[in-house]
Amino acid sequence: MDVKAVCLGMLTDGEASGYDLKKQFESTFGHFFAAGYGSIYPALASLASEGYVDCREVPQEGKPDRKVYRITDAGRTRLLEALEKPDPSHKVRSEFLAMMYFAHLMTREQIDTIISHRKQEFDQYLKMFADFEADGLKDWTPGMRFVCGFGKAVTTAIRAYLEEHGDTMTAKDTDNRKAAAG
Amino acid sequence: MDVKAVCLGMLTDGEASGYDLKKQFESTFGHFFAAGYGSIYPALASLASEGYVDCREVPQEGKPDRKVYRITDAGRTRLLEALEKPDPSHKVRSEFLAMMYFAHLMTREQIDTIISHRKQEFDQYLKMFADFEADGLKDWTPGMRFVCGFGKAVTTAIRAYLEEHGDTMTAKDTDNRKAAAG
DNA sequence: CGCAACATGTAAGCGGTTACATGATTAC
DNA sequence: GTAATCATGTAACCGCTTACATGTTGCG
């Protein structure tokens, strides 16, 4: 399941342009499978060359032609094959946790700054999940609900953990930075 | 904070070989910052060439010489600089959630297989965290406790979510795969 | 007899990120 | 006027993954 496969999946919901897909990668997929134009446009070009999608060019004035992609039968087959993988990955890469691991080498100010930045980011996610629920949960598939609920559950847990334990590294009255440096 | 910086951080705890560091990347860092030999050995070579670590070769019989690295003063300075970053990343990349998003295109069997694999993996993590706590929490720094607690909190939340909602995608009596393919 | 642990590394490749390049329209 | 939105793409780069290459010791 790479960017190409996800594009294919999104296109089962109806035709769309690269620009449209980007918005979905940012919003619904943002917290677990982000992708930028540099991944999406080449992915669509590649899918088109392989016959997994059709491309229809819609002329526009003052803007580049809008390229609208539609999934083909071969594309559907390919997607279903991609969905056969029995043990898909779930990876975290966190500079944040790596740095916190070495909190004893940092100043209290540095730690506080980082923790408060994190809190803000997770609050934004929480807001996003709330918006999803307020909005259009009605015509969502069970899978979409599951993924949204998953994100909300994880983010809620993290947010609570930061609130409860975010100050445990700054509570001490010693600044270990000098000791470590010297 | 890349692999090189993390190696530097690990070396503040005492000298070690690439092989030693790999074990730490697998165990304590495994759930949020994994790295293999293909990253670690080049990282150490690079750090050595830049003067951030010293290398001492310990001859051994029947095995390649053990190369033991020690952080230098320049290395400590470099590490402290790396730790100044005010907003380190925390990224999730999940084929798992991407696939679940398209659960309506999968069979119940496929979904069940994936969910049960996930449960097993998260149970292993939970066991690992429990082992950490049983073992040597005594001489841990606050940062290490924080990171371990973070992992435990997140994993616990996920595990509970899977238990409660893992079957919501298979509850329906329709298999949408055929409809999607046809 | 086979597997895990010990121990080091290289090289190709893959996939994603970032910066670059272009430019009109609309809303504040 | 200036920022955001619409709209497409390329190319260089970066960093990590995977496979390859080699060989001993010790345990069950």
Side-chain angles (χ1 to χ4, degrees):
Chain A
M1 192 114 240
D2 53 8
V3 172
K4 280 167 73 174
V6 174
C7 287
L8 236 28
M10 289 174 174
L11 290 174
T12 60
D13 198 41
E15 51 178 35
S17 67
Y19 193 85
D20 295 331
L21 295 185
K22 172 63 160 43
K23 280 186 290 188
Q24 216 180 326
F25 271 107
E26 266 176 359
S27 59
T28 31
F29 280 69
H31 64 103
F32 65 90
F33 208 102
Y37 291 126
S39 306
I40 296 166
Y41 285 124
L44 288 171
S46 168
L47 288 169
S49 79
E50 293 164 326
Y52 297 131
V53 297
D54 278 337
C55 179
R56 183 165 55 89
E57 281 187 54
V58 181
Q60 298 197 138
E61 285 161 32
K63 304 172 196 172
D65 292 355
R66 194 174 137 84
K67 290 191 177 179
V68 180
Y69 294 89
R70 187 183 310 183
I71 190 167
T72 63
D73 287 345
R76 279 175 206 278
T77 304
R78 200 218 193 238
L79 174 60
L80 296 186
E81 278 164 16
L83 293 175
E84 276 166 17
K85 196 170 179 178
D87 199 8
S89 67
H90 178 85
K91 290 177 186 165
V92 177
R93 184 130 204 122
S94 179
E95 290 185 354
F96 164 61
L97 291 176
M99 282 178 64
M100 290 304 97
Y101 193 91
F102 301 115
H104 58 288
L105 305 176
M106 298 165 68
T107 64
R108 262 171 289 157
E109 288 72 29
Q110 288 177 330
I111 298 170
D112 285 341
T113 301
I114 291 173
I115 295 284
S116 86
H117 277 174
R118 272 302 117 197
K119 282 183 178 173
Q120 279 172 37
E121 195 180 303
F122 287 120
D123 281 341
Q124 277 174 28
Y125 275 129
L126 246 23
K127 193 186 171 302
M128 185 185 75
F129 293 126
D131 288 346
F132 285 157
E133 284 174 1
D135 259 29
L137 213 114
K138 46 214 165 184
D139 52 342
W140 283 22
T141 63
M144 294 172 197
R145 282 168 216 252
F146 174 85
V147 171
C148 181
F150 187 104
K152 189 184 168 186
V154 171
T155 310
T156 302
I158 292 178
R159 195 59 188 76
Y161 185 80
L162 290 181
E163 207 57 53
E164 277 182 62
H165 303 278
D167 59 357
T168 53
M169 292 169 292
T170 50
K172 280 198 171 177
D173 53 354
T174 47
D175 170 5
N176 297 282
R177 253 199 103 187
K178 283 173 190 167
Chain B
M1 192 113 237
D2 53 8
V3 172
K4 279 167 74 175
V6 174
C7 286
L8 235 29
M10 288 174 173
L11 290 174
T12 60
D13 198 42
E15 51 178 34
S17 67
Y19 192 85
D20 294 332
L21 295 185
K22 172 62 161 41
K23 279 186 292 188
Q24 217 181 324
F25 271 106
E26 265 176 0
S27 59
T28 31
F29 281 68
H31 65 102
F32 64 90
F33 208 101
Y37 291 126
S39 305
I40 297 165
Y41 285 125
L44 288 171
S46 168
L47 287 169
S49 79
E50 293 163 326
Y52 297 132
V53 298
D54 278 337
C55 179
R56 184 166 55 89
E57 282 186 55
V58 181
Q60 298 197 137
E61 285 161 31
K63 303 173 198 175
D65 292 355
R66 194 174 139 85
K67 290 192 176 178
V68 180
Y69 294 90
R70 186 182 310 185
I71 191 168
T72 64
D73 286 344
R76 278 176 206 277
T77 304
R78 201 220 193 237
L79 174 60
L80 296 186
E81 277 163 16
L83 293 176
E84 275 166 18
K85 196 169 178 178
D87 199 8
S89 68
H90 179 85
K91 291 178 186 164
V92 177
R93 184 128 204 124
S94 179
E95 290 185 353
F96 164 62
L97 291 176
M99 283 178 63
M100 291 301 98
Y101 192 91
F102 301 115
H104 57 288
L105 304 176
M106 297 166 68
T107 65
R108 262 170 289 157
E109 289 71 29
Q110 288 176 330
I111 298 169
D112 284 342
T113 302
I114 291 173
I115 295 284
S116 87
H117 277 172
R118 271 304 117 196
K119 283 183 179 173
Q120 278 172 36
E121 195 179 304
F122 287 119
D123 281 342
Q124 277 173 28
Y125 276 130
L126 247 23
K127 192 185 170 303
M128 184 185 73
F129 294 126
D131 288 347
F132 285 157
E133 283 173 0
D135 259 29
L137 213 115
K138 46 214 166 184
D139 52 343
W140 282 23
T141 64
M144 295 172 197
R145 283 168 217 252
F146 175 84
V147 171
C148 181
F150 187 103
K152 189 185 169 187
V154 170
T155 310
T156 302
I158 293 178
R159 197 57 189 76
Y161 185 79
L162 290 180
E163 206 58 51
E164 277 181 63
H165 303 277
D167 59 358
T168 53
M169 292 169 293
T170 49
K172 282 201 169 175
D173 52 353
T174 47
D175 170 4
N176 297 284
R177 254 200 102 186
K178 283 173 192 167

